[in-house]
């Protein structure tokens, strides 16, 4: 059995949080979802963030926007909205990427001169 198949996305998110904490970057976890508020005629739905928002977003030590999307090593798939956001951030001078481990996040932060 492939050990990477057993790594859940929540573990990757935890590892990346440790990397962010170590580096001191101002990057925060962003949970995207929708929930109902109120009842009956006053019931409405609230979206917590725009579709495609990455797992972690913030800025690096030079003020550039940084986005990190975490996926499990085997079977994790990027949505079209996430791919579009990554392309948009990178196209506008920010840094955005997908990782499958904390070590990969650290490496990409170094390669992109975020730290």
């Amino acid at each position: 059995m492939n050990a990477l198949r057993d790594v859940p996305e929540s573990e990757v998110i935890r590892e990346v949080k440790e990397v962010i904490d170590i580096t001191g970057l101002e990057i925060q976890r962003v949970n995207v979802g929708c929930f109902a508020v109120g009842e009956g005629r006053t019931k409405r739905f609230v979206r917590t963030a725009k579709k495609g928002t990455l797992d972690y977003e913030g800025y690096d030590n030079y003020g550039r926007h940084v986005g990190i999307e975490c996926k499990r090593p085997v079977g994790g798939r990027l949505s079209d909205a996430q791919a579009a956001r990554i392309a948009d951030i990178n196209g506008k001078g920010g840094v955005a990427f997908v990782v499958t481990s904390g070590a990969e996040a650290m490496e990409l932060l170094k390669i992109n001169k975020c730290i």
Side-chain angles (χ1 to χ4, degrees):
M1 179 182 247
N2 185 346
L4 291 178
R5 286 193 183 280
D6 297 334
V7 176
E9 187 170 300
S10 60
E11 176 63 19
V12 178
I13 288 170
R14 186 193 63 72
E15 288 179 10
V16 172
K17 181 182 182 330
E18 288 179 6
V19 167
I20 291 167
D21 290 345
I22 289 167
T23 62
L25 295 173
E26 288 297 328
I27 300 174
Q28 65 182 348
R29 174 83 166 101
V30 182
N31 288 304
V32 178
C34 186
F35 59 92
V37 177
E39 294 178 5
R41 292 170 41 119
T42 63
K43 186 175 184 177
R44 62 189 175 96
F45 292 91
V46 177
R47 179 170 292 286
T48 60
K50 186 177 178 182
K51 281 186 180 180
T53 299
L54 306 180
D55 289 317
Y56 288 97
E57 296 210 21
Y59 55 92
D60 68 9
N61 292 333
Y62 308 100
R64 292 180 300 171
H65 184 91
V66 175
I68 304 172
E69 178 60 28
C70 302
K71 294 295 180 192
R72 58 190 176 149
V74 176
R77 291 184 290 171
L78 202 60
S79 73
D80 291 342
Q82 290 167 333
R85 183 154 180 92
I86 289 169
D88 188 47
I89 291 168
N90 287 325
K92 292 178 178 172
V95 176
F97 48 79
V98 181
V99 298
T100 58
S101 71
E104 185 179 14
M106 181 65 89
E107 180 181 345
L108 289 171
L109 288 168
K110 287 178 181 177
I111 288 170
N112 286 285
K113 298 179 174 66
C114 297
I115 51 176

mmCIF file of all heavy atoms in Angstrom, residues 68-95:
data_model
loop_
_atom_site.group_PDB
_atom_site.id
_atom_site.type_symbol
_atom_site.label_atom_id
_atom_site.label_comp_id
_atom_site.label_asym_id
_atom_site.label_seq_id
_atom_site.Cartn_x
_atom_site.Cartn_y
_atom_site.Cartn_z
ATOM 1 N N ILE A 68 -1.296 29.919 -0.946
ATOM 2 C CA ILE A 68 -0.852 28.524 -0.924
ATOM 3 C C ILE A 68 -2.083 27.633 -0.858
ATOM 4 O O ILE A 68 -2.907 27.764 0.055
ATOM 5 C CB ILE A 68 0.049 28.222 0.290
ATOM 6 C CG1 ILE A 68 1.252 29.160 0.322
ATOM 7 C CG2 ILE A 68 0.478 26.756 0.284
ATOM 8 C CD1 ILE A 68 2.088 29.045 1.598
ATOM 9 N N GLU A 69 -2.213 26.744 -1.816
ATOM 10 C CA GLU A 69 -3.296 25.766 -1.817
ATOM 11 C C GLU A 69 -2.719 24.416 -1.434
ATOM 12 O O GLU A 69 -1.719 23.961 -2.015
ATOM 13 C CB GLU A 69 -3.961 25.691 -3.199
ATOM 14 C CG GLU A 69 -5.066 24.671 -3.295
ATOM 15 C CD GLU A 69 -6.224 24.900 -2.329
ATOM 16 O OE1 GLU A 69 -6.486 26.059 -1.942
ATOM 17 O OE2 GLU A 69 -6.880 23.910 -1.960
ATOM 18 N N CYS A 70 -3.316 23.771 -0.449
ATOM 19 C CA CYS A 70 -2.854 22.475 0.050
ATOM 20 C C CYS A 70 -3.700 21.358 -0.549
ATOM 21 O O CYS A 70 -4.932 21.439 -0.542
ATOM 22 C CB CYS A 70 -2.962 22.428 1.568
ATOM 23 S SG CYS A 70 -2.027 23.713 2.396
ATOM 24 N N LYS A 71 -3.041 20.337 -1.030
ATOM 25 C CA LYS A 71 -3.722 19.158 -1.558
ATOM 26 C C LYS A 71 -3.046 17.917 -1.017
ATOM 27 O O LYS A 71 -1.841 17.903 -0.768
ATOM 28 C CB LYS A 71 -3.673 19.129 -3.092
ATOM 29 C CG LYS A 71 -4.461 20.247 -3.753
ATOM 30 C CD LYS A 71 -5.931 20.119 -3.479
ATOM 31 C CE LYS A 71 -6.722 21.235 -4.135
ATOM 32 N NZ LYS A 71 -8.088 21.295 -3.658
ATOM 33 N N ARG A 72 -3.813 16.862 -0.835
ATOM 34 C CA ARG A 72 -3.212 15.603 -0.406
ATOM 35 C C ARG A 72 -2.326 15.089 -1.534
ATOM 36 O O ARG A 72 -2.573 15.382 -2.716
ATOM 37 C CB ARG A 72 -4.276 14.605 0.003
ATOM 38 C CG ARG A 72 -5.260 14.283 -1.064
ATOM 39 C CD ARG A 72 -6.417 13.482 -0.520
ATOM 40 N NE ARG A 72 -7.358 13.298 -1.628
ATOM 41 C CZ ARG A 72 -8.130 12.276 -1.777
ATOM 42 N NH1 ARG A 72 -8.136 11.326 -0.880
ATOM 43 N NH2 ARG A 72 -8.934 12.193 -2.801
ATOM 44 N N PRO A 73 -1.270 14.341 -1.197
ATOM 45 C CA PRO A 73 -0.298 13.915 -2.204
ATOM 46 C C PRO A 73 -0.879 13.042 -3.311
ATOM 47 O O PRO A 73 -0.459 13.129 -4.452
ATOM 48 C CB PRO A 73 0.735 13.130 -1.399
ATOM 49 C CG PRO A 73 0.575 13.585 0.004
ATOM 50 C CD PRO A 73 -0.868 13.968 0.160
ATOM 51 N N VAL A 74 -1.853 12.208 -2.981
ATOM 52 C CA VAL A 74 -2.455 11.329 -3.979
ATOM 53 C C VAL A 74 -3.949 11.604 -4.029
ATOM 54 O O VAL A 74 -4.645 11.504 -3.020
ATOM 55 C CB VAL A 74 -2.203 9.839 -3.636
ATOM 56 C CG1 VAL A 74 -2.907 8.929 -4.629
ATOM 57 C CG2 VAL A 74 -0.717 9.541 -3.602
ATOM 58 N N GLY A 75 -4.427 12.002 -5.175
ATOM 59 C CA GLY A 75 -5.860 12.205 -5.365
ATOM 60 C C GLY A 75 -6.355 13.623 -5.142
ATOM 61 O O GLY A 75 -7.523 13.914 -5.401
ATOM 62 N N GLY A 76 -5.501 14.526 -4.667
ATOM 63 C CA GLY A 76 -5.925 15.912 -4.471
ATOM 64 C C GLY A 76 -6.053 16.609 -5.818
ATOM 65 O O GLY A 76 -5.157 16.522 -6.646
ATOM 66 N N ARG A 77 -7.193 17.259 -6.052
ATOM 67 C CA ARG A 77 -7.418 17.916 -7.342
ATOM 68 C C ARG A 77 -7.720 19.393 -7.140
ATOM 69 O O ARG A 77 -8.480 19.765 -6.249
ATOM 70 C CB ARG A 77 -8.573 17.254 -8.084
ATOM 71 C CG ARG A 77 -8.225 15.848 -8.561
ATOM 72 C CD ARG A 77 -9.332 15.266 -9.373
ATOM 73 N NE ARG A 77 -10.468 14.989 -8.474
ATOM 74 C CZ ARG A 77 -11.671 14.635 -8.871
ATOM 75 N NH1 ARG A 77 -11.926 14.527 -10.144
ATOM 76 N NH2 ARG A 77 -12.618 14.408 -7.993
ATOM 77 N N LEU A 78 -7.164 20.196 -7.989
ATOM 78 C CA LEU A 78 -7.367 21.634 -7.981
ATOM 79 C C LEU A 78 -8.662 21.948 -8.734
ATOM 80 O O LEU A 78 -8.890 21.421 -9.823
ATOM 81 C CB LEU A 78 -6.184 22.279 -8.695
ATOM 82 C CG LEU A 78 -5.845 23.724 -8.427
ATOM 83 C CD1 LEU A 78 -5.528 23.940 -6.960
ATOM 84 C CD2 LEU A 78 -4.644 24.133 -9.264
ATOM 85 N N SER A 79 -9.508 22.801 -8.155
ATOM 86 C CA SER A 79 -10.725 23.206 -8.868
ATOM 87 C C SER A 79 -10.354 24.235 -9.935
ATOM 88 O O SER A 79 -9.290 24.854 -9.884
ATOM 89 C CB SER A 79 -11.743 23.805 -7.896
ATOM 90 O OG SER A 79 -11.333 25.101 -7.470
ATOM 91 N N ASP A 80 -11.240 24.425 -10.889
ATOM 92 C CA ASP A 80 -11.013 25.434 -11.929
ATOM 93 C C ASP A 80 -10.871 26.819 -11.309
ATOM 94 O O ASP A 80 -10.034 27.618 -11.732
ATOM 95 C CB ASP A 80 -12.152 25.430 -12.944
ATOM 96 C CG ASP A 80 -12.177 24.177 -13.812
ATOM 97 O OD1 ASP A 80 -11.145 23.475 -13.886
ATOM 98 O OD2 ASP A 80 -13.230 23.903 -14.423
ATOM 99 N N ALA A 81 -11.685 27.109 -10.289
ATOM 100 C CA ALA A 81 -11.630 28.421 -9.621
ATOM 101 C C ALA A 81 -10.298 28.621 -8.909
ATOM 102 O O ALA A 81 -9.740 29.718 -8.915
ATOM 103 C CB ALA A 81 -12.794 28.569 -8.639
ATOM 104 N N GLN A 82 -9.770 27.568 -8.286
ATOM 105 C CA GLN A 82 -8.470 27.658 -7.612
ATOM 106 C C GLN A 82 -7.347 27.860 -8.638
ATOM 107 O O GLN A 82 -6.452 28.685 -8.430
ATOM 108 C CB GLN A 82 -8.205 26.404 -6.781
ATOM 109 C CG GLN A 82 -9.087 26.304 -5.564
ATOM 110 C CD GLN A 82 -9.047 24.927 -4.928
ATOM 111 O OE1 GLN A 82 -8.793 23.916 -5.590
ATOM 112 N NE2 GLN A 82 -9.297 24.877 -3.631
ATOM 113 N N ALA A 83 -7.399 27.127 -9.732
ATOM 114 C CA ALA A 83 -6.383 27.277 -10.782
ATOM 115 C C ALA A 83 -6.406 28.698 -11.345
ATOM 116 O O ALA A 83 -5.348 29.305 -11.568
ATOM 117 C CB ALA A 83 -6.610 26.248 -11.891
ATOM 118 N N ALA A 84 -7.605 29.237 -11.540
ATOM 119 C CA ALA A 84 -7.737 30.600 -12.060
ATOM 120 C C ALA A 84 -7.178 31.610 -11.064
ATOM 121 O O ALA A 84 -6.512 32.573 -11.453
ATOM 122 C CB ALA A 84 -9.199 30.903 -12.378
ATOM 123 N N ARG A 85 -7.439 31.408 -9.772
ATOM 124 C CA ARG A 85 -6.928 32.336 -8.756
ATOM 125 C C ARG A 85 -5.402 32.302 -8.704
ATOM 126 O O ARG A 85 -4.751 33.341 -8.614
ATOM 127 C CB ARG A 85 -7.510 32.018 -7.386
ATOM 128 C CG ARG A 85 -7.049 33.011 -6.309
ATOM 129 C CD ARG A 85 -8.033 33.107 -5.190
ATOM 130 N NE ARG A 85 -7.617 34.045 -4.176
ATOM 131 C CZ ARG A 85 -7.951 35.328 -4.153
ATOM 132 N NH1 ARG A 85 -8.710 35.830 -5.106
ATOM 133 N NH2 ARG A 85 -7.539 36.117 -3.187
ATOM 134 N N ILE A 86 -4.821 31.103 -8.752
ATOM 135 C CA ILE A 86 -3.364 30.974 -8.746
ATOM 136 C C ILE A 86 -2.770 31.706 -9.952
ATOM 137 O O ILE A 86 -1.811 32.463 -9.818
ATOM 138 C CB ILE A 86 -2.945 29.488 -8.715
ATOM 139 C CG1 ILE A 86 -3.273 28.894 -7.334
ATOM 140 C CG2 ILE A 86 -1.465 29.311 -9.056
ATOM 141 C CD1 ILE A 86 -3.151 27.387 -7.248
ATOM 142 N N ALA A 87 -3.355 31.503 -11.127
ATOM 143 C CA ALA A 87 -2.864 32.177 -12.332
ATOM 144 C C ALA A 87 -3.003 33.689 -12.208
ATOM 145 O O ALA A 87 -2.106 34.443 -12.607
ATOM 146 C CB ALA A 87 -3.621 31.666 -13.558
ATOM 147 N N ASP A 88 -4.115 34.162 -11.630
ATOM 148 C CA ASP A 88 -4.355 35.594 -11.466
ATOM 149 C C ASP A 88 -3.336 36.219 -10.508
ATOM 150 O O ASP A 88 -2.754 37.266 -10.804
ATOM 151 C CB ASP A 88 -5.777 35.828 -10.967
ATOM 152 C CG ASP A 88 -6.173 37.290 -10.956
ATOM 153 O OD1 ASP A 88 -5.930 37.985 -11.966
ATOM 154 O OD2 ASP A 88 -6.732 37.743 -9.943
ATOM 155 N N ILE A 89 -3.117 35.570 -9.367
ATOM 156 C CA ILE A 89 -2.144 36.087 -8.382
ATOM 157 C C ILE A 89 -0.757 36.160 -9.010
ATOM 158 O O ILE A 89 -0.078 37.179 -8.928
ATOM 159 C CB ILE A 89 -2.133 35.218 -7.110
ATOM 160 C CG1 ILE A 89 -3.445 35.382 -6.337
ATOM 161 C CG2 ILE A 89 -0.937 35.571 -6.211
ATOM 162 C CD1 ILE A 89 -3.652 34.356 -5.224
ATOM 163 N N ASN A 90 -0.333 35.070 -9.653
ATOM 164 C CA ASN A 90 0.998 35.041 -10.271
ATOM 165 C C ASN A 90 1.104 36.056 -11.412
ATOM 166 O O ASN A 90 2.146 36.692 -11.580
ATOM 167 C CB ASN A 90 1.334 33.634 -10.757
ATOM 168 C CG ASN A 90 1.636 32.686 -9.616
ATOM 169 O OD1 ASN A 90 2.213 33.066 -8.607
ATOM 170 N ND2 ASN A 90 1.219 31.435 -9.756
ATOM 171 N N GLY A 91 0.026 36.228 -12.152
ATOM 172 C CA GLY A 91 0.033 37.159 -13.268
ATOM 173 C C GLY A 91 0.082 38.621 -12.856
ATOM 174 O O GLY A 91 0.452 39.487 -13.642
ATOM 175 N N LYS A 92 -0.279 38.888 -11.605
ATOM 176 C CA LYS A 92 -0.297 40.262 -11.105
ATOM 177 C C LYS A 92 0.868 40.558 -10.164
ATOM 178 O O LYS A 92 0.835 41.529 -9.416
ATOM 179 C CB LYS A 92 -1.629 40.542 -10.418
ATOM 180 C CG LYS A 92 -2.779 40.561 -11.407
ATOM 181 C CD LYS A 92 -4.112 40.783 -10.722
ATOM 182 C CE LYS A 92 -5.220 40.854 -11.763
ATOM 183 N NZ LYS A 92 -6.557 40.878 -11.141
ATOM 184 N N GLY A 93 1.880 39.712 -10.190
ATOM 185 C CA GLY A 93 3.090 39.972 -9.411
ATOM 186 C C GLY A 93 3.142 39.324 -8.046
ATOM 187 O O GLY A 93 4.118 39.490 -7.321
ATOM 188 N N GLY A 94 2.113 38.582 -7.681
ATOM 189 C CA GLY A 94 2.132 37.852 -6.418
ATOM 190 C C GLY A 94 2.748 36.478 -6.605
ATOM 191 O O GLY A 94 3.289 36.156 -7.668
ATOM 192 N N VAL A 95 2.653 35.680 -5.569
ATOM 193 C CA VAL A 95 3.200 34.327 -5.590
ATOM 194 C C VAL A 95 2.110 33.384 -5.111
ATOM 195 O O VAL A 95 1.576 33.557 -4.013
ATOM 196 C CB VAL A 95 4.428 34.201 -4.663
ATOM 197 C CG1 VAL A 95 4.939 32.773 -4.624
ATOM 198 C CG2 VAL A 95 5.527 35.157 -5.079
#
